[in-house]
Amino acid sequence: MKWFYDFYREIATTDLAHWLETLPAHLAKWHKEALHGDFKKWLKLVEQLPKTQPSQVNLTDSVSIGSANDITEYQQKQINGLLKQFMPWRKGPFYIHDIHINTEWRSDWKWDRVAPHISSLANKTVLDVGCGSGYHMWRMLAQKPEMVVGIDPTQLFLIQFQAIKHFAPNHPIHLLPLGIEQMPALRAFDTVFSMGVLYHRKSPFEFLQQLKEQLKSGGELVLETLVVEGDENTVLVPGERYAQMRNVWFIPSVKALEHWMSRAGFKNIRCVNLDETRLEEQRATDWMTSHSLVDFLDKDDISKTIEGYPAPLRATLIANR
Ligand SMILES: Nc1ncnc2c1ncn2[C@@H]1O[C@H](C[S@+](CC[C@H]([NH3+])C(=O)[O-])CC(=O)[O-])[C@@H](O)[C@H]1O
């Protein structure tokens, strides 16, 4: 697939070149499987997006590409209709020629909590593990890194990412449909982000190790995850569901997570932000019309999930390899 060939060319002469020993085989396998389902239909729809010439790309305080004045009314309707085919849009918001993709999550609020605490990304090589539709990668790009690479195994997120990238194609930003477990130990990234993924992993220590193996010596890990109140020995392992999510395994306290990170060999570990998820941050919209946070909390006491666990509390921790 052309997207991936472009990426191979871009990394061939960089520290990421080792990746080419495994990546083509993983993507070839993925491609064979993907072309059976919805992905094939989505791919055709992405190709129907009209080519436009955006007059501006603003990534500093939003992800905003082009304005309505750059295109005809007909094109705006066409773009809107095609983008709606990629619902549900969960992570954003995006503004494409003034079409507001009002996503379920205000991912910009998470970025506002994280960004003040990270080292500058200028001229850096950056990995975002579990990047979703790539919203935060676009915001990272505003700091002029050398390259931003995201990995996320969810097909719809790859399509949403490519739909956005269609309107701003010439930026060093790539999404690959991989899980972290498919990554060789590259030790080549200056900064590795992993936001909203740790609690989905069955083995958090293995996950921390996998993140560490992507970093250069001295490189920075930015880890954002669900936490609970408690001491070094407090960890919530919920039942089948947590806030209706099925695949949630470990929700540690900040102290426990710091301890885990230290055992995994990270240095200079610090928690830079702690925040309760507000109902306004995750809600149903015209672009994601099904259930959202309000339906996942106890309606008589929103400090609890409907399963009776503490409501989502998220922490950002930063550390170095
Ligand atoms: N093995 C895996 N390897 C990599 N990614 C994975 C894996 N398994 C699942 N994911 C991906 O991790 C992301 C988690 S969402 C966070 C998005 C963004 N970072 C955010 O901070 O808003 C949070 C949530 O849905 O709870 C999804 O996009 C999965 O496809």
Side-chain angles (χ1 to χ4, degrees):
M1 191 181 291
K2 187 179 169 302
W3 304 329
F4 304 145
Y5 297 138
D6 288 346
F7 182 68
Y8 298 164
R9 261 197 302 277
E10 219 166 299
I11 65 170
T13 55
T14 71
D15 288 352
L16 300 185
H18 279 313
W19 206 350
L20 292 174
E21 289 161 21
T22 56
L23 186 60
H26 278 138
L27 292 181
K29 183 165 175 286
W30 172 85
H31 197 212
K32 218 166 142 190
E33 287 161 13
L35 285 184
H36 290 298
D38 282 339
F39 191 78
K40 197 170 169 183
K41 178 186 82 191
W42 293 331
L43 212 49
K44 289 212 174 92
L45 292 168
V46 169
E47 282 160 10
Q48 285 172 31
L49 287 166
K51 284 212 161 46
T52 64
Q53 295 207 313
S55 50
Q56 55 89 28
V57 176
N58 174 12
L59 305 173
T60 305
D61 27 57
S62 65
V63 178
S64 164
I65 302 172
S67 88
N69 295 333
D70 308 334
I71 55 175
T72 63
E73 220 169 285
Y74 173 78
Q75 281 178 317
Q76 201 185 38
K77 283 208 178 91
Q78 186 189 16
I79 295 168
N80 189 73
L82 285 165
L83 293 177
K84 283 250 159 118
Q85 303 282 321
F86 308 133
M87 281 170 63
W89 282 85
R90 296 194 183 276
K91 313 288 178 176
F94 297 98
Y95 297 85
I96 303 295
H97 292 292
D98 288 333
I99 296 163
H100 175 192
I101 304 179
N102 188 9
T103 49
E104 177 190 15
W105 281 87
R106 292 295 306 262
S107 307
D108 48 338
W109 293 3
K110 183 182 288 194
W111 186 245
D112 289 345
R113 292 194 292 269
V114 170
H117 307 287
I118 63 173
S119 299
S120 163
L121 302 178
N123 305 313
K124 300 280 176 67
T125 305
V126 180
L127 177 68
D128 188 1
V129 175
C131 60
S133 62
Y135 177 82
H136 296 124
M137 296 205 288
W138 289 102
R139 299 298 301 274
M140 292 167 201
L141 210 52
Q143 297 189 19
K144 305 264 182 284
E146 183 82 22
M147 185 187 290
V148 184
V149 185
I151 58 167
D152 199 298
T154 303
Q155 291 182 359
L156 183 61
F157 284 143
L158 174 63
I159 282 295
Q160 292 176 343
F161 172 79
Q162 291 298 343
I164 302 298
K165 196 176 173 187
H166 169 89
F167 295 97
N170 301 318
H171 292 271
I173 179 171
H174 302 273
L175 195 163
L176 301 165
L178 300 175
I180 183 71
E181 59 285 357
Q182 292 171 300
M183 294 285 288
L186 291 173
R187 299 190 186 93
F189 293 95
D190 298 288
T191 305
V192 170
F193 289 85
S194 182
M195 304 190 282
V197 186
L198 182 109
Y199 48 89
H200 289 314
R201 304 303 296 155
K202 263 191 198 170
S203 172
F205 280 95
E206 200 179 338
F207 182 61
L208 289 171
Q209 206 63 44
Q210 286 162 335
L211 296 175
K212 192 169 152 224
E213 283 175 349
Q214 301 311 320
L215 280 168
K216 286 180 183 167
S217 171
E220 186 166 279
L221 173 69
V222 182
L223 183 70
E224 193 263 1
T225 193
L226 289 171
V227 291
V228 286
E229 303 284 356
D231 66 15
E232 209 174 69
N233 297 310
T234 309
V235 184
L236 169 67
V237 179
E240 205 166 309
R241 290 179 182 238
Y242 170 86
Q244 288 298 287
M245 283 188 286
R246 275 189 193 284
N247 51 349
V248 175
W249 296 96
F250 290 88
I251 310 184
S253 68
V254 170
K255 283 261 174 290
L257 183 54
E258 285 172 347
H259 181 54
W260 294 0
M261 291 169 79
S262 163
R263 287 294 313 272
F266 285 99
K267 300 188 187 82
N268 197 17
I269 302 157
R270 63 255 186 224
C271 176
V272 297
N273 185 268
L274 197 60
D275 194 77
E276 277 168 26
T277 308
R278 285 183 281 144
L279 293 176
E280 299 79 27
E281 185 167 350
Q282 185 190 6
R283 74 284 185 249
T285 69
D286 287 351
W287 294 77
M288 197 303 291
T289 52
S290 61
H291 292 166
S292 192
L293 186 59
V294 70
D295 309 297
F296 308 150
L297 298 181
D298 182 333
K299 61 178 181 345
D300 298 320
D301 176 6
I302 62 162
S303 72
K304 292 200 176 79
T305 69
I306 57 173
E307 302 86 4
Y309 297 118
L313 174 67
R314 311 188 76 100
T316 304
L317 282 85
I318 297 187
N320 296 90
R321 185 191 153 138

